[in-house]
Amino acid sequence: MDLGGLKASTVSGRILRADKLQDYNSFKIPKKILPVAYNKAKVQNGLVDIEVPAFSVIVLELN
Protein backbone atom coordinates (compact mmCIF):
# COMPACT_ATOMS: atom_id res chain seq x y z
CA MET A 1 0.00 0.00 0.00
CA ASP A 2 1.45 3.37 -1.02
CA LEU A 3 1.59 5.91 1.81
CA GLY A 4 1.25 8.83 -0.62
CA GLY A 5 4.08 10.88 0.87
CA LEU A 6 3.19 10.19 4.50
CA LYS A 7 6.37 9.83 6.55
CA ALA A 8 6.25 6.68 8.69
CA SER A 9 9.03 4.47 9.97
CA THR A 10 7.14 1.96 12.12
CA VAL A 11 3.82 0.17 11.94
CA SER A 12 1.83 -1.72 14.55
CA GLY A 13 -1.61 -3.22 14.38
CA ARG A 14 -4.42 -5.40 15.65
CA ILE A 15 -6.36 -8.07 13.77
CA LEU A 16 -9.77 -9.70 14.10
CA ARG A 17 -9.70 -13.06 12.36
CA ALA A 18 -12.14 -15.96 12.02
CA ASP A 19 -11.60 -19.48 10.75
CA LYS A 20 -14.91 -19.44 8.89
CA LEU A 21 -17.00 -16.61 7.43
CA GLN A 22 -19.94 -17.81 9.54
CA ASP A 23 -18.05 -17.41 12.86
CA TYR A 24 -19.38 -14.81 15.31
CA ASN A 25 -19.37 -13.95 19.00
CA SER A 26 -22.46 -14.88 21.00
CA PHE A 27 -23.60 -14.97 24.61
CA LYS A 28 -22.64 -18.68 24.69
CA ILE A 29 -19.21 -18.09 23.12
CA PRO A 30 -18.40 -14.40 23.66
CA LYS A 31 -14.68 -14.75 22.90
CA LYS A 32 -14.72 -16.74 19.65
CA ILE A 33 -13.27 -13.77 17.73
CA LEU A 34 -10.91 -11.49 19.66
CA PRO A 35 -8.53 -8.71 18.61
CA VAL A 36 -4.88 -9.73 18.82
CA ALA A 37 -1.60 -8.02 17.95
CA TYR A 38 -0.70 -8.03 14.25
CA ASN A 39 3.01 -7.85 13.44
CA LYS A 40 3.22 -8.93 9.79
CA ALA A 41 3.07 -5.40 8.33
CA LYS A 42 6.31 -3.64 7.36
CA VAL A 43 7.09 -0.06 6.29
CA GLN A 44 9.74 0.28 3.60
CA ASN A 45 10.48 3.05 1.06
CA GLY A 46 7.13 4.80 1.52
CA LEU A 47 5.14 1.58 1.17
CA VAL A 48 3.37 -0.66 3.68
CA ASP A 49 3.71 -4.37 2.92
CA ILE A 50 0.80 -6.24 4.48
CA GLU A 51 -0.58 -9.77 4.31
CA VAL A 52 -4.36 -9.87 4.88
CA PRO A 53 -5.71 -13.32 5.80
CA ALA A 54 -9.19 -14.38 4.70
CA PHE A 55 -12.06 -13.45 7.03
CA SER A 56 -10.10 -10.73 8.81
CA VAL A 57 -10.11 -7.03 9.61
CA ILE A 58 -6.83 -5.24 10.35
CA VAL A 59 -6.24 -1.84 11.91
CA LEU A 60 -2.75 -0.38 11.47
CA GLU A 61 -1.08 2.50 13.27
CA LEU A 62 1.75 4.23 11.44
CA ASN A 63 4.37 6.25 13.34
Side-chain angles (χ1 to χ4, degrees):
M1 176 181 357
D2 189 343
L3 296 177
L6 180 69
K7 301 291 183 195
S9 58
T10 62
V11 60
S12 60
R14 308 229 351 122
I15 184 170
L16 283 174
R17 185 174 181 278
D19 293 326
K20 300 182 297 186
L21 183 60
Q22 295 81 7
D23 285 346
Y24 61 93
N25 290 344
S26 67
F27 288 110
K28 278 187 165 182
I29 308 171
K31 297 182 179 183
K32 181 148 183 105
I33 303 171
L34 294 172
V36 296
Y38 181 77
N39 57 9
K40 293 185 178 180
K42 295 179 178 66
V43 177
Q44 191 172 9
N45 300 323
L47 300 172
V48 175
D49 183 30
I50 182 171
E51 180 182 315
V52 182
F55 316 126
S56 68
V57 175
I58 300 171
V59 175
L60 298 176
E61 182 179 335
L62 300 166
N63 295 308

